[in-house]
Amino acid sequence: MFKWANLFGRNEVERDILSPNGRIKCHFQLKSGQLFYSVYKNDKIIIKPSNLGFLICGEEPLQKHFKLIRELKKKHAETIETMWGEDRFIENNYTESAFYLSENKDDKRIMTLRFRIFDNAVSFRYEIPPQPKFSQITIKDELTEFNIEPNSLVWKIPAYQPDRYEYSYERALVHELKNSVHTPLTIKTTNGYYISIHEAALYNYGSATIKLNEQNHLKTDITPLSDGTKAHIRLPFNTPWRLIMIADSATELTTNRVMYALNEAPTADFSWVKTLKFIGIWWAMYVGEWTWAPGERHGATTEHAKEYIDAAVRLGISGLLIEGWNEGWEGDWLENGIHNKFTVTTDDFNLEEVARYADSKGIELVGHHETVGFIDNYERQLEASYDFYALNHVHYIKSGYAGSMMLINGRREYHHSQLGVNHYQKTVELAAKKKICLDIHEPIKGTGIERTWPNLLAREGARGQEYEGGALSPSHACFLPYTRLLSGGMDYTPGILDLANSVKRMSTTLARQLAYFVTIYSGMTMAADRPYIYEERFPEEFEFIRNVPTNFEKTLPLAGEIGEYYVVARLDRDSKDWYIGGVTDEIGRRIHLALDFLEDGAYEASIYTDSDDAHYRDNQFGINKARKHVGKNDSLDIYMAPGGGFAIRLKRL
Ligand code: NOJ
């Protein structure tokens, strides 16, 4: 029920908005016409009074001189049923307060500040209606602050860098964040809470990075456009939700689903969307066996594609990615990508023939579009290139935006700027129209829009396994669940079992490669190694990869600490089988796993653990494999070697 309060305009107002269970409190304040909010959990402060508002080009700041003209409160309780993902059901329970504000001088511009307070998060957004003399505006700066105790611990990756989100996480103190960092920005407050600052439903606006301002407060630093402004918007406009996830422990944070809930339900039928596991004409290029570019060792030939389709059938994997099939990979593809052609195949590759063969064998092809960030070139071909795939029954596309900047309207723009955001959105919407699912590499970060657009099955958006061979430390995959993965699934390309390859040596053990299929969720999951490695060298390990689902009923984090380790159990959505995965950093650990989350009855456990002498540096293949019957009263003692991990399948008998 809505509750109305007609306030006839007051510029001194204080309100407490309590979450449904009363433990999270957001305090809203209008003080001499200026807006502030603060956040508490169990009456302990998490965010001290923080500024709100905007600087607008050519206009007075939209920040001061406000009075409250109306206030609207409601409670919302709903269980969302997802189409796919880590949990079938997501609670969407919050208390909402909308403050309708008007300036008390000059043009009397109006704006609404809408808060939604959850038991595990605080969120709010600005809503600006169209108004005389204020209908098309340019945002110079968004002033939203997150005034957090400066000695709190933070885990960060830098913003505005050539490799976008692909950096190693570093630990720092809040007061050290002089340069912008990306969200989700995970913080351990000095009073012991684990929080993450992020955003939800990012549309038609620059993505928020975070940086310390002169007052030593964290503040949004919206990714700029090349003209130096942050966004050109036509009113009405709602900003993305500013989101602060709040948890008592690091593991609790990992299943915060508020970002997803803040997005709208889909308006079209997406029942055709299906998650997918696939192999690829891919890693062979990374280890130098094949090339993307045509030539003697060209990977994407008709012949290789057919061989891989046959291999997928033998392996029991549903999909095949093919990279390097189109014109544009010759020479320096990063430079030459400006001429990429997305409807023209190389001479040795026949898409129609390969697609017919895949169809006849029941294998889904995953098409590939490496745009190299040349958006003008890509958008000219977008519809035709999607049609080319759709005509050939290709229902999945992996897209890529390598390169440090995008080229849009002839100008160099950040991937994460308003123009970048709008481009990614255009692809998602067009793909939906053509019934195509996307796996976007070098993407815009996740903000939960896959609730509205479920055909956006996967993103990369962090360092993945392609960085192995030197640039990934074992702690990286132990940071991801508490940082990047709070923004949704990731195509990490797990399952490289040829660990000691001299070109791309993995800093992992064998068991850990299986663990990734559980610890890192993705709606499109690649079994990334070459098929012959699975078939000839690791058929037993591959059994786990074949069985592990890409769609889960429930996710239960069992243990972990940021950057140190992570253990999670997930229940398959289509059976009663559970899967458990664990990863550790450079330090070996013993984990006691109580299986009390199982239902009554017996399960057959297939257990893959590091051997006592396994080590990511000098004994990567040390693995123990065991099978036994277990039930909910049992527990397992598991050893994770340095840089190692474990994987368990619990098949319901
Ligand atoms: C980077 C992507 O992450 C990778 O998966 C892809 O193979 C290359 N770009 C080439 O498109």
Side-chain angles (χ1 to χ4, degrees), residues 580-614:
I580 312 177
V583 288
T584 180
D585 59 6
E586 290 81 353
I587 298 171
R589 288 168 212 276
R590 291 188 190 277
I591 302 281
H592 182 75
L593 272 185
L595 299 178
D596 51 4
F597 55 87
L598 297 178
E599 284 181 7
D600 287 337
Y603 292 78
E604 183 190 60
S606 308
I607 307 171
Y608 304 81
T609 50
D610 294 325
S611 60
D612 283 351
D613 58 354

CSV table of all heavy atoms in Angstrom, one decimal, residues 580-614:
chain,number,residue,atom,x,y,z
A,580,ILE,N,30.4,-29.6,-5.5
A,580,ILE,CA,31.1,-28.8,-4.6
A,580,ILE,C,32.5,-28.5,-5.2
A,580,ILE,O,33.1,-29.3,-5.8
A,580,ILE,CB,31.3,-29.5,-3.2
A,580,ILE,CG1,30.0,-30.1,-2.7
A,580,ILE,CG2,31.9,-28.5,-2.2
A,580,ILE,CD1,30.2,-30.8,-1.4
A,581,GLY,N,32.9,-27.2,-5.1
A,581,GLY,CA,34.2,-26.8,-5.6
A,581,GLY,C,34.9,-26.0,-4.6
A,581,GLY,O,34.2,-25.2,-3.8
A,582,GLY,N,36.2,-26.1,-4.6
A,582,GLY,CA,37.0,-25.2,-3.6
A,582,GLY,C,38.3,-24.8,-4.3
A,582,GLY,O,38.9,-25.6,-5.1
A,583,VAL,N,38.7,-23.6,-4.0
A,583,VAL,CA,40.1,-23.2,-4.5
A,583,VAL,C,40.8,-22.4,-3.4
A,583,VAL,O,40.2,-21.8,-2.5
A,583,VAL,CB,39.9,-22.2,-5.7
A,583,VAL,CG1,39.5,-22.9,-7.0
A,583,VAL,CG2,38.9,-21.0,-5.4
A,584,THR,N,42.1,-22.5,-3.4
A,584,THR,CA,42.9,-21.8,-2.4
A,584,THR,C,44.0,-21.0,-3.1
A,584,THR,O,44.3,-21.2,-4.3
A,584,THR,CB,43.5,-22.8,-1.4
A,584,THR,OG1,44.3,-22.1,-0.4
A,584,THR,CG2,44.4,-23.8,-2.1
A,585,ASP,N,44.6,-20.1,-2.3
A,585,ASP,CA,45.7,-19.3,-2.9
A,585,ASP,C,47.0,-20.1,-2.8
A,585,ASP,O,47.0,-21.3,-2.9
A,585,ASP,CB,45.7,-17.9,-2.1
A,585,ASP,CG,45.9,-18.1,-0.6
A,585,ASP,OD1,46.2,-19.3,-0.2
A,585,ASP,OD2,45.9,-17.1,0.1
A,586,GLU,N,48.1,-19.4,-2.6
A,586,GLU,CA,49.4,-20.1,-2.6
A,586,GLU,C,49.6,-21.0,-1.4
A,586,GLU,O,50.5,-21.7,-1.2
A,586,GLU,CB,50.5,-19.1,-2.6
A,586,GLU,CG,50.7,-18.3,-3.9
A,586,GLU,CD,49.7,-17.1,-4.1
A,586,GLU,OE1,48.8,-16.9,-3.2
A,586,GLU,OE2,49.9,-16.4,-5.0
A,587,ILE,N,48.6,-20.9,-0.4
A,587,ILE,CA,48.7,-21.6,0.8
A,587,ILE,C,47.9,-22.9,0.8
A,587,ILE,O,46.7,-22.8,0.5
A,587,ILE,CB,48.3,-20.7,2.0
A,587,ILE,CG1,49.3,-19.5,2.1
A,587,ILE,CG2,48.3,-21.4,3.3
A,587,ILE,CD1,48.9,-18.4,3.0
A,588,GLY,N,48.5,-24.0,1.2
A,588,GLY,CA,47.7,-25.2,1.3
A,588,GLY,C,46.8,-25.2,2.5
A,588,GLY,O,47.1,-24.5,3.5
A,589,ARG,N,45.6,-25.8,2.4
A,589,ARG,CA,44.6,-25.8,3.5
A,589,ARG,C,43.9,-27.1,3.6
A,589,ARG,O,43.6,-27.7,2.6
A,589,ARG,CB,43.5,-24.7,3.2
A,589,ARG,CG,44.0,-23.3,3.3
A,589,ARG,CD,42.9,-22.3,2.8
A,589,ARG,NE,43.6,-21.2,2.2
A,589,ARG,CZ,44.0,-20.2,2.9
A,589,ARG,NH1,43.7,-20.1,4.2
A,589,ARG,NH2,44.7,-19.2,2.4
A,590,ARG,N,43.5,-27.4,4.8
A,590,ARG,CA,42.6,-28.5,5.1
A,590,ARG,C,41.2,-28.0,5.4
A,590,ARG,O,41.1,-27.1,6.2
A,590,ARG,CB,43.1,-29.4,6.2
A,590,ARG,CG,44.4,-30.1,5.8
A,590,ARG,CD,44.9,-31.1,6.8
A,590,ARG,NE,46.2,-31.5,6.3
A,590,ARG,CZ,46.5,-32.4,5.3
A,590,ARG,NH1,45.4,-33.0,4.8
A,590,ARG,NH2,47.7,-32.7,5.0
A,591,ILE,N,40.2,-28.6,4.8
A,591,ILE,CA,38.8,-28.1,5.0
A,591,ILE,C,38.0,-29.3,5.5
A,591,ILE,O,38.1,-30.4,5.0
A,591,ILE,CB,38.2,-27.7,3.6
A,591,ILE,CG1,39.0,-26.6,2.9
A,591,ILE,CG2,36.7,-27.3,3.7
A,591,ILE,CD1,38.8,-25.2,3.5
A,592,HIS,N,37.2,-29.0,6.5
A,592,HIS,CA,36.3,-30.0,7.0
A,592,HIS,C,34.9,-29.7,6.5
A,592,HIS,O,34.4,-28.7,6.7
A,592,HIS,CB,36.3,-30.0,8.6
A,592,HIS,CG,35.4,-31.0,9.1
A,592,HIS,ND1,35.7,-32.4,9.2
A,592,HIS,CD2,34.2,-30.9,9.7
A,592,HIS,CE1,34.8,-33.0,9.7
A,592,HIS,NE2,33.8,-32.2,10.1
A,593,LEU,N,34.4,-30.6,5.6
A,593,LEU,CA,33.1,-30.3,5.0
A,593,LEU,C,32.0,-31.2,5.5
A,593,LEU,O,31.9,-32.4,5.3
A,593,LEU,CB,33.2,-30.8,3.5
A,593,LEU,CG,33.8,-29.8,2.4
A,593,LEU,CD1,33.6,-30.5,1.1
A,593,LEU,CD2,33.0,-28.5,2.5
A,594,ALA,N,31.1,-30.5,6.3
A,594,ALA,CA,29.9,-31.2,6.8
A,594,ALA,C,28.9,-31.3,5.6
A,594,ALA,O,28.7,-30.3,5.0
A,594,ALA,CB,29.4,-30.5,8.0
A,595,LEU,N,28.3,-32.4,5.4
A,595,LEU,CA,27.4,-32.6,4.3
A,595,LEU,C,26.0,-32.4,4.7
A,595,LEU,O,25.0,-32.9,4.1
A,595,LEU,CB,27.6,-33.9,3.6
A,595,LEU,CG,29.0,-34.1,3.0
A,595,LEU,CD1,29.2,-35.5,2.4
A,595,LEU,CD2,29.3,-33.1,1.9
A,596,ASP,N,25.8,-31.7,5.8
A,596,ASP,CA,24.4,-31.6,6.4
A,596,ASP,C,23.4,-30.8,5.5
A,596,ASP,O,22.2,-30.8,5.8
A,596,ASP,CB,24.5,-31.0,7.8
A,596,ASP,CG,25.3,-29.7,7.8
A,596,ASP,OD1,25.7,-29.2,6.8
A,596,ASP,OD2,25.5,-29.1,8.9
A,597,PHE,N,23.9,-30.2,4.4
A,597,PHE,CA,22.9,-29.5,3.5
A,597,PHE,C,22.2,-30.5,2.6
A,597,PHE,O,21.3,-30.1,1.9
A,597,PHE,CB,23.7,-28.4,2.7
A,597,PHE,CG,24.8,-28.9,2.0
A,597,PHE,CD1,24.7,-29.4,0.7
A,597,PHE,CD2,26.1,-28.9,2.5
A,597,PHE,CE1,25.8,-29.9,0.0
A,597,PHE,CE2,27.2,-29.3,1.8
A,597,PHE,CZ,27.1,-29.9,0.6
A,598,LEU,N,22.7,-31.8,2.6
A,598,LEU,CA,22.1,-32.7,1.6
A,598,LEU,C,20.7,-33.1,2.2
A,598,LEU,O,20.4,-33.0,3.3
A,598,LEU,CB,23.0,-34.0,1.6
A,598,LEU,CG,24.4,-33.8,1.0
A,598,LEU,CD1,25.1,-35.1,1.0
A,598,LEU,CD2,24.3,-33.3,-0.5
A,599,GLU,N,19.9,-33.7,1.2
A,599,GLU,CA,18.6,-34.2,1.7
A,599,GLU,C,18.9,-35.6,2.3
A,599,GLU,O,19.9,-36.2,2.1
A,599,GLU,CB,17.7,-34.4,0.5
A,599,GLU,CG,17.1,-33.0,0.0
A,599,GLU,CD,16.1,-33.2,-1.2
A,599,GLU,OE1,15.9,-34.4,-1.6
A,599,GLU,OE2,15.7,-32.2,-1.7
A,600,ASP,N,17.8,-36.2,2.9
A,600,ASP,CA,17.9,-37.6,3.4
A,600,ASP,C,18.2,-38.5,2.2
A,600,ASP,O,17.8,-38.2,1.0
A,600,ASP,CB,16.6,-38.1,3.9
A,600,ASP,CG,16.4,-37.4,5.3
A,600,ASP,OD1,17.3,-37.0,5.9
A,600,ASP,OD2,15.2,-37.3,5.7
A,601,GLY,N,18.9,-39.6,2.4
A,601,GLY,CA,19.1,-40.5,1.3
A,601,GLY,C,20.6,-40.6,1.0
A,601,GLY,O,21.4,-39.8,1.5
A,602,ALA,N,20.9,-41.5,0.0
A,602,ALA,CA,22.3,-41.8,-0.3
A,602,ALA,C,22.8,-41.1,-1.5
A,602,ALA,O,22.0,-40.9,-2.5
A,602,ALA,CB,22.5,-43.3,-0.4
A,603,TYR,N,24.0,-40.7,-1.6
A,603,TYR,CA,24.6,-40.0,-2.7
A,603,TYR,C,25.9,-40.8,-3.1
A,603,TYR,O,26.7,-41.2,-2.2
A,603,TYR,CB,25.0,-38.6,-2.4
A,603,TYR,CG,23.8,-37.7,-2.2
A,603,TYR,CD1,23.1,-37.7,-1.0
A,603,TYR,CD2,23.4,-36.8,-3.2
A,603,TYR,CE1,22.1,-36.8,-0.7
A,603,TYR,CE2,22.3,-35.9,-3.0
A,603,TYR,CZ,21.7,-36.0,-1.7
A,603,TYR,OH,20.6,-35.1,-1.5
A,604,GLU,N,26.2,-40.8,-4.3
A,604,GLU,CA,27.5,-41.4,-4.7
A,604,GLU,C,28.5,-40.2,-5.0
A,604,GLU,O,28.2,-39.3,-5.8
A,604,GLU,CB,27.4,-42.2,-6.0
A,604,GLU,CG,28.8,-42.8,-6.4
A,604,GLU,CD,28.8,-43.4,-7.8
A,604,GLU,OE1,28.5,-42.6,-8.8
A,604,GLU,OE2,29.0,-44.6,-7.9
A,605,ALA,N,29.5,-40.1,-4.2
A,605,ALA,CA,30.4,-39.0,-4.3
A,605,ALA,C,31.6,-39.4,-5.2
A,605,ALA,O,32.3,-40.4,-5.0
A,605,ALA,CB,31.0,-38.6,-2.9
A,606,SER,N,31.8,-38.5,-6.2
A,606,SER,CA,33.1,-38.7,-7.0
A,606,SER,C,33.9,-37.5,-6.6
A,606,SER,O,33.6,-36.3,-6.8
A,606,SER,CB,32.8,-38.5,-8.5
A,606,SER,OG,31.8,-39.4,-8.9
A,607,ILE,N,35.1,-37.8,-6.0
A,607,ILE,CA,35.9,-36.8,-5.3
A,607,ILE,C,37.2,-36.7,-6.0
A,607,ILE,O,38.0,-37.6,-6.2
A,607,ILE,CB,36.1,-37.2,-3.9
A,607,ILE,CG1,34.7,-37.5,-3.2
A,607,ILE,CG2,36.8,-36.1,-3.1
A,607,ILE,CD1,34.9,-38.1,-1.8
A,608,TYR,N,37.6,-35.4,-6.4
A,608,TYR,CA,38.8,-35.1,-7.1
A,608,TYR,C,39.6,-34.1,-6.2
A,608,TYR,O,39.2,-33.0,-6.1
A,608,TYR,CB,38.6,-34.5,-8.4
A,608,TYR,CG,37.7,-35.3,-9.4
A,608,TYR,CD1,36.4,-35.3,-9.3
A,608,TYR,CD2,38.3,-36.1,-10.4
A,608,TYR,CE1,35.6,-36.0,-10.2
A,608,TYR,CE2,37.5,-36.8,-11.3
A,608,TYR,CZ,36.2,-36.8,-11.2
A,608,TYR,OH,35.4,-37.5,-12.0
A,609,THR,N,40.6,-34.6,-5.5
A,609,THR,CA,41.4,-33.7,-4.6
A,609,THR,C,42.9,-33.7,-5.0
A,609,THR,O,43.4,-34.6,-5.6
A,609,THR,CB,41.2,-34.2,-3.2
A,609,THR,OG1,41.5,-35.6,-3.1
A,609,THR,CG2,39.8,-33.9,-2.6
A,610,ASP,N,43.5,-32.7,-4.5
A,610,ASP,CA,45.0,-32.6,-4.7
A,610,ASP,C,45.6,-33.7,-3.8
A,610,ASP,O,45.2,-34.0,-2.7
A,610,ASP,CB,45.5,-31.3,-4.2
A,610,ASP,CG,45.0,-30.1,-5.0
A,610,ASP,OD1,44.9,-30.3,-6.2
A,610,ASP,OD2,44.8,-29.0,-4.4
A,611,SER,N,46.7,-34.3,-4.4
A,611,SER,CA,47.4,-35.3,-3.5
A,611,SER,C,48.2,-34.5,-2.5
A,611,SER,O,48.4,-33.3,-2.6
A,611,SER,CB,48.4,-36.1,-4.4
A,611,SER,OG,49.3,-35.2,-5.1
A,612,ASP,N,48.7,-35.2,-1.5
A,612,ASP,CA,49.4,-34.5,-0.4
A,612,ASP,C,50.7,-33.7,-0.9
A,612,ASP,O,51.1,-32.8,-0.3
A,612,ASP,CB,49.9,-35.5,0.7
A,612,ASP,CG,48.7,-35.9,1.6
A,612,ASP,OD1,47.6,-35.2,1.4
A,612,ASP,OD2,48.8,-36.8,2.3
A,613,ASP,N,51.3,-34.3,-2.0
A,613,ASP,CA,52.5,-33.6,-2.5
A,613,ASP,C,52.2,-32.7,-3.7
A,613,ASP,O,53.1,-32.3,-4.4
A,613,ASP,CB,53.5,-34.7,-2.9
A,613,ASP,CG,53.0,-35.7,-3.9
A,613,ASP,OD1,51.8,-35.6,-4.2
A,613,ASP,OD2,53.8,-36.5,-4.3
A,614,ALA,N,50.9,-32.5,-4.0
A,614,ALA,CA,50.6,-31.6,-5.2
A,614,ALA,C,51.0,-30.2,-4.9
A,614,ALA,O,51.1,-29.7,-3.7
A,614,ALA,CB,49.1,-31.7,-5.5
